[in-house]
Amino acid sequence: MARVYNFSAGPSMLPEEVLKKAAAEMLDYEGSGQSVMEMSHRSKVYDSIIKGAEQLLRELMNIPDNYKVLFLQGGASTQFAAIPLNFMNKNGKADFVITGQWAKKAYQEAQKYGECKAVASSADKTFSYIPKLDKNEFTKDADYFYICMNNTIYGTVYHELPDTGDVPLIADVSSCFLSEPIDVSKFAMVYGGAQKNVAPAGLTICIIREDMLGNARDITPTMLNYQIMADNDSLYNTPPCYTIYICKLVLEWLKEMGGLEAIKERNIKKAKILYDFLDNSKMFKGTVVPEDRSLMNVPFVTDSEELNAKFIKEATDAGFVNLKGHRSVGGMRASIYNAMPVEGIEKLVEFMAEFEKANS
Ligand SMILES: *Cc1c(COP(=O)(O)O)cnc(C)c1O
Protein backbone atom coordinates (compact mmCIF):
# COMPACT_ATOMS: atom_id res chain seq x y z
CA MET A 1 0.00 0.00 0.00
CA ALA A 2 1.39 3.39 -0.98
CA ARG A 3 0.76 6.31 1.34
CA VAL A 4 0.28 9.73 -0.24
CA TYR A 5 1.90 12.98 0.82
CA ASN A 6 -1.03 14.73 2.44
CA PHE A 7 -0.84 18.52 2.48
CA SER A 8 -4.26 18.98 4.07
CA ALA A 9 -4.77 21.97 6.38
CA GLY A 10 -6.68 19.77 8.80
CA PRO A 11 -7.40 17.11 9.72
CA SER A 12 -3.89 16.44 8.59
CA MET A 13 -1.08 13.91 8.51
CA LEU A 14 -0.04 12.07 11.65
CA PRO A 15 3.45 10.64 12.11
CA GLU A 16 3.61 7.17 10.60
CA GLU A 17 5.29 5.83 13.76
CA VAL A 18 2.28 6.99 15.77
CA LEU A 19 -0.19 5.29 13.44
CA LYS A 20 1.81 2.07 13.58
CA LYS A 21 1.98 2.11 17.36
CA ALA A 22 -1.77 2.75 17.57
CA ALA A 23 -2.38 -0.13 15.16
CA ALA A 24 -0.18 -2.47 17.19
CA GLU A 25 -2.03 -1.53 20.38
CA MET A 26 -5.49 -1.56 18.81
CA LEU A 27 -6.77 -4.82 20.29
CA ASP A 28 -4.87 -4.91 23.54
CA TYR A 29 -3.53 -1.76 25.14
CA GLU A 30 -0.62 -2.63 27.41
CA GLY A 31 -2.06 -5.94 28.58
CA SER A 32 -5.45 -4.49 29.49
CA GLY A 33 -7.15 -6.82 27.03
CA GLN A 34 -8.99 -3.85 25.53
CA SER A 35 -8.62 -1.18 22.92
CA VAL A 36 -8.31 2.35 24.27
CA MET A 37 -11.54 2.98 22.33
CA GLU A 38 -13.39 0.61 24.64
CA MET A 39 -12.09 1.70 28.01
CA SER A 40 -13.90 3.47 30.77
CA HIS A 41 -12.59 7.01 31.03
CA ARG A 42 -12.68 6.52 34.81
CA SER A 43 -10.48 3.41 34.76
CA LYS A 44 -7.01 3.36 36.20
CA VAL A 45 -5.45 2.44 32.89
CA TYR A 46 -7.13 5.37 31.13
CA ASP A 47 -6.14 7.70 33.90
CA SER A 48 -2.51 6.99 33.13
CA ILE A 49 -3.14 7.96 29.49
CA ILE A 50 -4.79 11.33 30.14
CA LYS A 51 -2.43 12.20 33.00
CA GLY A 52 0.52 11.06 30.90
CA ALA A 53 -0.56 13.25 28.00
CA GLU A 54 -0.86 16.28 30.28
CA GLN A 55 2.53 15.60 31.84
CA LEU A 56 4.22 15.29 28.44
CA LEU A 57 2.56 18.45 27.18
CA ARG A 58 3.69 20.37 30.27
CA GLU A 59 7.20 19.11 29.78
CA LEU A 60 7.42 19.79 26.04
CA MET A 61 5.87 23.26 26.20
CA ASN A 62 7.45 24.13 29.52
CA ILE A 63 4.04 25.12 30.90
CA PRO A 64 4.33 26.96 34.23
CA ASP A 65 2.63 25.37 37.27
CA ASN A 66 0.08 28.16 37.56
CA TYR A 67 -1.53 27.13 34.27
CA LYS A 68 -4.29 24.55 33.85
CA VAL A 69 -4.25 22.18 30.90
CA LEU A 70 -7.72 21.22 29.69
CA PHE A 71 -8.63 18.50 27.20
CA LEU A 72 -11.99 19.57 25.77
CA GLN A 73 -14.31 18.92 22.86
CA GLY A 74 -16.14 21.21 20.47
CA GLY A 75 -13.19 22.30 18.39
CA ALA A 76 -11.46 25.64 18.38
CA SER A 77 -14.71 27.20 17.16
CA THR A 78 -16.51 26.41 20.42
CA GLN A 79 -13.89 28.42 22.30
CA PHE A 80 -14.90 31.48 20.27
CA ALA A 81 -17.96 31.59 22.56
CA ALA A 82 -16.42 30.03 25.66
CA ILE A 83 -13.67 32.66 25.87
CA PRO A 84 -15.99 35.68 26.19
CA LEU A 85 -18.37 33.74 28.45
CA ASN A 86 -15.51 32.95 30.82
CA PHE A 87 -13.40 36.08 30.57
CA MET A 88 -15.26 39.11 29.19
CA ASN A 89 -16.87 39.83 32.52
CA LYS A 90 -15.01 42.57 34.33
CA ASN A 91 -15.43 45.49 31.94
CA GLY A 92 -17.22 43.60 29.20
CA LYS A 93 -14.66 44.58 26.57
CA ALA A 94 -12.07 42.82 24.42
CA ASP A 95 -9.68 43.70 21.59
CA PHE A 96 -9.09 41.64 18.46
CA VAL A 97 -6.63 41.68 15.58
CA ILE A 98 -8.29 40.54 12.40
CA THR A 99 -5.73 38.49 10.52
CA GLY A 100 -8.10 36.17 8.71
CA GLN A 101 -11.22 34.11 8.86
CA TRP A 102 -10.55 32.42 12.20
CA ALA A 103 -9.76 35.67 13.97
CA LYS A 104 -12.84 37.24 12.41
CA LYS A 105 -15.09 34.39 13.50
CA ALA A 106 -13.80 34.67 17.06
CA TYR A 107 -14.41 38.43 16.94
CA GLN A 108 -17.93 38.05 15.59
CA GLU A 109 -18.87 35.40 18.12
CA ALA A 110 -17.53 37.46 21.01
CA GLN A 111 -19.68 40.42 19.93
CA LYS A 112 -22.68 38.52 21.27
CA TYR A 113 -21.27 38.92 24.77
CA GLY A 114 -19.73 42.36 25.01
CA GLU A 115 -17.98 45.28 23.41
CA CYS A 116 -15.40 44.08 20.90
CA LYS A 117 -12.91 46.24 19.07
CA ALA A 118 -10.94 45.28 15.97
CA VAL A 119 -7.71 47.16 16.67
CA ALA A 120 -6.17 46.25 13.31
CA SER A 121 -6.91 44.17 10.24
CA SER A 122 -5.13 42.93 7.14
CA ALA A 123 -8.35 42.38 5.19
CA ASP A 124 -7.31 45.08 2.68
CA LYS A 125 -4.73 42.73 1.15
CA THR A 126 -6.49 39.38 1.58
CA PHE A 127 -4.77 38.84 4.94
CA SER A 128 -1.38 38.38 3.28
CA TYR A 129 0.44 40.10 6.15
CA ILE A 130 0.27 40.66 9.92
CA PRO A 131 -0.84 44.26 10.49
CA LYS A 132 1.35 46.65 12.46
CA LEU A 133 -0.27 47.45 15.77
CA ASP A 134 -0.71 50.91 17.25
CA LYS A 135 -0.89 50.72 21.04
CA ASN A 136 -2.98 53.88 21.11
CA GLU A 137 -5.75 51.85 19.54
CA PHE A 138 -5.74 49.27 22.35
CA THR A 139 -8.58 49.38 24.88
CA LYS A 140 -6.89 50.11 28.21
CA ASP A 141 -9.50 48.31 30.30
CA ALA A 142 -10.16 45.38 27.96
CA ASP A 143 -10.74 42.04 29.68
CA TYR A 144 -8.43 40.44 27.13
CA PHE A 145 -6.65 40.93 23.84
CA TYR A 146 -7.19 38.22 21.23
CA ILE A 147 -5.01 37.05 18.35
CA CYS A 148 -4.90 34.12 15.97
CA MET A 149 -1.22 33.24 16.07
CA ASN A 150 -0.87 31.28 12.82
CA ASN A 151 -3.38 31.99 10.09
CA THR A 152 -4.03 28.63 8.54
CA ILE A 153 -5.88 29.83 5.46
CA TYR A 154 -3.58 32.72 4.50
CA GLY A 155 -0.21 31.44 5.71
CA THR A 156 0.84 34.23 8.04
CA VAL A 157 2.24 34.01 11.56
CA TYR A 158 3.15 36.45 14.31
CA HIS A 159 6.92 36.52 14.75
CA GLU A 160 6.51 39.06 17.52
CA LEU A 161 3.70 39.14 20.06
CA PRO A 162 1.66 42.29 20.69
CA ASP A 163 2.70 44.07 23.87
CA THR A 164 -0.61 44.28 25.72
CA GLY A 165 0.77 45.33 29.10
CA ASP A 166 -1.56 44.19 31.87
CA VAL A 167 -4.30 43.14 29.47
CA PRO A 168 -4.37 39.32 29.24
CA LEU A 169 -3.28 38.00 25.86
CA ILE A 170 -5.21 35.07 24.40
CA ALA A 171 -4.07 33.21 21.30
CA ASP A 172 -5.58 30.61 19.00
CA VAL A 173 -2.59 28.40 18.17
CA SER A 174 -4.55 25.65 16.38
CA SER A 175 -2.31 25.49 13.34
CA CYS A 176 1.06 26.09 15.00
CA PHE A 177 0.58 24.05 18.18
CA LEU A 178 3.86 22.31 19.09
CA SER A 179 5.56 23.46 15.89
CA GLU A 180 8.16 25.43 17.85
CA PRO A 181 8.71 26.53 21.46
CA ILE A 182 6.51 29.35 22.73
CA ASP A 183 6.74 31.22 26.01
CA VAL A 184 3.44 30.22 27.61
CA SER A 185 3.97 32.73 30.42
CA LYS A 186 3.37 35.57 27.95
CA PHE A 187 -0.22 34.44 27.49
CA ALA A 188 -3.27 34.26 29.72
CA MET A 189 -4.51 31.45 27.50
CA VAL A 190 -3.39 29.55 24.44
CA TYR A 191 -5.61 27.00 22.84
CA GLY A 192 -6.15 25.04 19.69
CA GLY A 193 -7.98 22.29 17.93
CA ALA A 194 -5.78 19.20 17.85
CA GLN A 195 -6.49 18.11 14.29
CA LYS A 196 -3.80 20.25 12.66
CA ASN A 197 -0.67 19.26 14.50
CA VAL A 198 -1.44 17.22 17.60
CA ALA A 199 -4.00 14.46 17.11
CA PRO A 200 -7.08 13.50 15.09
CA ALA A 201 -10.16 15.74 15.24
CA GLY A 202 -12.29 15.86 18.39
CA LEU A 203 -9.90 17.35 20.91
CA THR A 204 -9.29 20.97 21.83
CA ILE A 205 -6.46 21.76 24.21
CA CYS A 206 -6.78 24.88 26.36
CA ILE A 207 -3.88 26.11 28.50
CA ILE A 208 -5.18 28.74 30.91
CA ARG A 209 -3.51 30.81 33.62
CA GLU A 210 -5.25 30.07 36.90
CA ASP A 211 -6.03 33.65 37.84
CA MET A 212 -8.23 33.91 34.74
CA LEU A 213 -10.62 31.29 36.11
CA GLY A 214 -13.64 31.82 38.30
CA ASN A 215 -15.21 34.77 36.49
CA ALA A 216 -17.55 32.98 34.11
CA ARG A 217 -20.93 34.60 33.78
CA ASP A 218 -23.88 32.76 35.29
CA ILE A 219 -25.43 31.76 31.97
CA THR A 220 -22.23 29.97 30.86
CA PRO A 221 -23.17 26.43 29.86
CA THR A 222 -21.55 23.97 32.27
CA MET A 223 -19.67 22.35 29.42
CA LEU A 224 -18.12 25.70 28.43
CA ASN A 225 -17.12 26.67 31.95
CA TYR A 226 -13.35 26.36 32.16
CA GLN A 227 -13.38 26.43 35.97
CA ILE A 228 -15.67 23.40 36.11
CA MET A 229 -13.58 21.56 33.53
CA ALA A 230 -10.42 22.38 35.48
CA ASP A 231 -11.93 21.31 38.82
CA ASN A 232 -12.77 17.97 37.24
CA ASP A 233 -9.40 17.42 35.51
CA SER A 234 -11.15 17.46 32.10
CA LEU A 235 -13.26 14.50 33.25
CA TYR A 236 -16.52 16.27 34.08
CA ASN A 237 -18.04 14.12 31.36
CA THR A 238 -16.61 11.63 28.87
CA PRO A 239 -13.60 13.20 27.19
CA PRO A 240 -12.52 12.34 23.62
CA CYS A 241 -10.67 9.31 25.01
CA TYR A 242 -9.09 7.85 21.91
CA THR A 243 -8.02 11.22 20.52
CA ILE A 244 -6.28 12.03 23.79
CA TYR A 245 -4.48 8.69 23.54
CA ILE A 246 -3.23 9.51 20.02
CA CYS A 247 -2.24 12.96 21.31
CA LYS A 248 -0.11 11.22 23.92
CA LEU A 249 1.58 9.11 21.25
CA VAL A 250 2.30 12.26 19.21
CA LEU A 251 3.79 13.93 22.28
CA GLU A 252 5.99 10.88 22.89
CA TRP A 253 7.09 11.04 19.25
CA LEU A 254 8.00 14.72 19.70
CA LYS A 255 9.88 14.06 22.89
CA GLU A 256 11.79 11.23 21.27
CA MET A 257 12.96 13.46 18.43
CA GLY A 258 14.29 16.06 20.87
CA GLY A 259 11.28 18.21 21.73
CA LEU A 260 10.15 21.51 20.31
CA GLU A 261 13.61 22.91 19.53
CA ALA A 262 14.27 19.88 17.35
CA ILE A 263 10.92 20.02 15.56
CA LYS A 264 11.38 23.75 15.02
CA GLU A 265 14.69 23.15 13.31
CA ARG A 266 13.10 20.53 11.10
CA ASN A 267 10.13 22.78 10.33
CA ILE A 268 12.42 25.65 9.35
CA LYS A 269 14.36 23.34 7.07
CA LYS A 270 11.17 22.07 5.43
CA ALA A 271 9.62 25.51 4.94
CA LYS A 272 12.89 26.88 3.52
CA ILE A 273 12.95 24.24 0.78
CA LEU A 274 9.49 25.29 -0.36
CA TYR A 275 9.88 29.07 0.04
CA ASP A 276 13.27 29.02 -1.72
CA PHE A 277 11.69 27.24 -4.62
CA LEU A 278 8.77 29.70 -4.75
CA ASP A 279 11.14 32.68 -4.60
CA ASN A 280 13.10 31.34 -7.56
CA SER A 281 10.25 30.03 -9.67
CA LYS A 282 8.93 31.98 -12.66
CA MET A 283 5.61 30.15 -12.54
CA PHE A 284 4.77 29.74 -8.84
CA LYS A 285 4.64 32.58 -6.33
CA GLY A 286 4.06 32.67 -2.58
CA THR A 287 1.23 35.02 -1.58
CA VAL A 288 2.48 36.19 1.83
CA VAL A 289 4.95 39.00 2.55
CA PRO A 290 8.26 37.30 3.38
CA GLU A 291 8.53 38.69 6.93
CA ASP A 292 5.23 37.15 8.06
CA ARG A 293 5.49 33.75 6.43
CA SER A 294 4.20 30.74 8.34
CA LEU A 295 6.27 27.60 8.83
CA MET A 296 3.08 25.54 8.70
CA ASN A 297 0.84 26.76 5.86
CA VAL A 298 2.28 27.88 2.55
CA PRO A 299 -0.18 29.37 0.05
CA PHE A 300 1.00 29.91 -3.51
CA VAL A 301 -0.38 30.66 -6.96
CA THR A 302 0.45 30.75 -10.64
CA ASP A 303 -0.88 33.64 -12.69
CA SER A 304 -3.65 31.55 -14.26
CA GLU A 305 -6.66 29.73 -12.84
CA GLU A 306 -6.34 27.05 -15.53
CA LEU A 307 -2.75 26.38 -14.62
CA ASN A 308 -3.65 26.20 -10.91
CA ALA A 309 -6.34 23.63 -11.67
CA LYS A 310 -4.03 21.63 -13.94
CA PHE A 311 -1.32 21.64 -11.30
CA ILE A 312 -3.66 20.50 -8.54
CA LYS A 313 -4.98 17.68 -10.69
CA GLU A 314 -1.59 16.41 -11.81
CA ALA A 315 -0.16 16.73 -8.31
CA THR A 316 -3.06 14.70 -6.91
CA ASP A 317 -2.50 11.99 -9.52
CA ALA A 318 1.16 11.91 -8.53
CA GLY A 319 0.32 11.38 -4.83
CA PHE A 320 0.55 14.97 -3.51
CA VAL A 321 -2.96 15.45 -2.18
CA ASN A 322 -5.04 18.28 -0.69
CA LEU A 323 -3.01 21.07 -2.29
CA LYS A 324 -6.05 23.09 -3.30
CA GLY A 325 -6.15 26.46 -1.54
CA HIS A 326 -8.98 27.42 0.81
CA ARG A 327 -12.19 28.22 -1.06
CA SER A 328 -11.96 31.86 0.08
CA VAL A 329 -8.50 32.36 -1.45
CA GLY A 330 -8.10 29.98 -4.40
CA GLY A 331 -4.75 28.86 -5.76
CA MET A 332 -2.77 26.31 -3.80
CA ARG A 333 -1.75 25.77 -0.22
CA ALA A 334 0.71 23.26 1.16
CA SER A 335 0.18 22.62 4.85
CA ILE A 336 3.44 21.21 6.12
CA TYR A 337 2.78 20.39 9.75
CA ASN A 338 5.12 18.50 12.07
CA ALA A 339 4.23 15.10 10.64
CA MET A 340 5.18 15.98 7.05
CA PRO A 341 8.61 14.46 6.43
CA VAL A 342 11.38 16.52 4.80
CA GLU A 343 11.24 14.07 1.92
CA GLY A 344 7.61 15.07 1.25
CA ILE A 345 8.64 18.67 0.60
CA GLU A 346 11.67 17.67 -1.46
CA LYS A 347 9.51 15.49 -3.68
CA LEU A 348 6.83 18.17 -3.98
CA VAL A 349 9.37 20.76 -5.06
CA GLU A 350 10.82 18.31 -7.58
CA PHE A 351 7.34 17.76 -8.96
CA MET A 352 6.68 21.51 -9.15
CA ALA A 353 9.93 22.08 -11.04
CA GLU A 354 9.00 19.41 -13.57
CA PHE A 355 5.52 20.89 -13.94
CA GLU A 356 6.99 24.33 -14.51
CA LYS A 357 9.32 23.02 -17.17
CA ALA A 358 6.59 21.10 -18.96
CA ASN A 359 4.16 24.02 -18.95
CA SER A 360 6.22 27.06 -19.84
C1 LIG B 1 -8.88 24.96 11.89
C2 LIG B 1 -8.83 26.18 12.71
C3 LIG B 1 -9.91 26.57 13.53
C4 LIG B 1 -11.21 25.81 13.57
O1 LIG B 1 -11.03 24.65 14.26
P1 LIG B 1 -12.26 23.68 14.59
O2 LIG B 1 -11.62 22.71 15.52
O3 LIG B 1 -12.69 23.08 13.30
O4 LIG B 1 -13.33 24.48 15.21
C5 LIG B 1 -9.77 27.70 14.30
N1 LIG B 1 -8.64 28.42 14.29
C6 LIG B 1 -7.59 28.08 13.52
C7 LIG B 1 -6.35 28.90 13.54
C8 LIG B 1 -7.65 26.95 12.70
O5 LIG B 1 -6.61 26.62 11.94
Side-chain angles (χ1 to χ4, degrees):
M1 177 203 56
R3 280 178 54 83
V4 293
Y5 290 111
N6 180 5
F7 293 91
S8 170
S12 42
M13 284 185 75
L14 286 162
E16 203 164 295
E17 295 91 325
V18 165
L19 296 176
K20 284 183 173 148
K21 178 127 200 248
E25 294 180 334
M26 180 58 76
L27 296 183
D28 177 12
Y29 176 75
E30 292 193 353
S32 66
Q34 311 162 55
S35 167
V36 176
M37 287 188 197
E38 304 168 300
M39 274 172 195
S40 162
H41 59 291
R42 311 243 176 240
S43 63
K44 217 174 178 158
V45 54
Y46 189 74
D47 200 57
S48 73
I49 293 174
I50 190 166
K51 294 266 159 51
E54 176 174 344
Q55 200 39 52
L56 277 162
L57 188 70
R58 285 187 176 278
E59 196 181 318
L60 282 164
M61 290 182 73
N62 204 8
I63 299 172
D65 289 343
N66 63 326
Y67 284 70
K68 295 285 187 194
V69 172
L70 305 181
F71 295 112
L72 307 177
Q73 305 197 46
S77 302
T78 296
Q79 313 317 312
F80 297 168
I83 289 167
L85 280 163
N86 280 273
F87 305 137
M88 209 201 275
N89 302 324
K90 286 178 182 153
N91 299 312
K93 298 178 196 172
D95 282 349
F96 292 76
V97 182
I98 312 300
T99 49
Q101 183 175 297
W102 297 120
K104 192 169 160 196
K105 283 189 169 164
Y107 169 63
Q108 287 170 337
E109 187 76 7
Q111 282 172 6
K112 295 177 182 170
Y113 303 100
E115 207 177 300
C116 299
K117 182 176 180 189
V119 296
S121 166
S122 48
D124 61 334
K125 291 184 181 155
T126 328
F127 302 113
S128 57
Y129 68 104
I130 299 288
K132 293 278 170 282
L133 301 178
D134 174 3
K135 268 191 173 173
N136 296 319
E137 291 292 317
F138 295 8
T139 306
K140 303 270 175 308
D141 58 346
D143 290 329
Y144 60 87
F145 189 105
Y146 183 99
I147 61 170
C148 180
M149 186 95 144
N150 184 81
N151 295 280
T152 325
I153 297 173
Y154 310 92
T156 60
V157 70
Y158 285 81
H159 289 296
E160 203 181 307
L161 292 175
D163 176 7
T164 62
D166 291 337
V167 174
L169 179 63
I170 295 180
D172 175 355
V173 297
S174 293
S175 51
C176 58
F177 226 144
L178 299 168
S179 63
E180 59 182 315
I182 60 166
D183 182 352
V184 174
S185 73
K186 294 222 154 47
F187 301 88
M189 171 176 177
V190 291
Y191 78 97
Q195 71 272 23
K196 313 280 160 69
N197 222 2
V198 188
L203 169 67
T204 311
I205 300 177
C206 296
I207 302 166
I208 306 172
R209 207 175 58 217
E210 281 168 359
D211 67 279
M212 296 292 290
L213 297 172
N215 288 312
R217 62 185 74 183
D218 293 343
I219 60 153
T220 306
T222 303
M223 285 298 297
L224 300 190
N225 188 315
Y226 295 137
Q227 175 83 65
I228 293 173
M229 295 300 130
D231 289 346
N232 287 277
D233 296 327
S234 306
L235 290 166
Y236 175 83
N237 73 328
T238 319
C241 299
Y242 195 76
T243 302
I244 292 169
Y245 156 71
I246 300 288
C247 168
K248 178 168 181 272
L249 296 185
V250 169
L251 296 171
E252 284 166 358
W253 174 80
L254 278 169
K255 184 175 171 177
E256 192 120 316
M257 83 156 54
L260 299 193
E261 284 296 345
I263 196 76
K264 178 185 184 180
E265 221 168 280
R266 200 176 88 141
N267 286 333
I268 289 174
K269 178 176 170 188
K270 277 155 48 183
K272 186 172 182 328
I273 296 169
L274 187 47
Y275 284 123
D276 282 352
F277 175 79
L278 292 171
D279 290 342
N280 289 304
S281 165
K282 293 201 165 55
M283 176 178 284
F284 297 102
K285 279 191 295 290
T287 56
V288 169
V289 299
E291 62 271 25
D292 297 329
R293 284 171 167 176
S294 165
L295 289 179
M296 296 283 101
N297 310 97
V298 184
F300 56 94
V301 293
T302 70
D303 56 18
S304 116
E305 286 300 330
E306 289 74 44
L307 214 48
N308 290 347
K310 184 166 192 252
F311 173 76
I312 291 162
K313 179 171 186 316
E314 291 184 14
T316 307
D317 293 344
F320 305 99
V321 306
N322 291 317
L323 280 166
K324 198 168 189 309
H326 188 270
R327 57 192 185 280
S328 66
V329 189
M332 282 73 71
R333 170 180 50 172
S335 293
I336 51 176
Y337 297 119
N338 289 350
M340 174 62 67
V342 178
E343 178 199 72
I345 318 280
E346 288 170 346
K347 294 228 168 109
L348 173 66
V349 162
E350 225 171 88
F351 178 81
M352 289 168 77
E354 278 165 26
F355 182 89
E356 182 167 348
K357 211 161 146 206
N359 292 278
S360 47

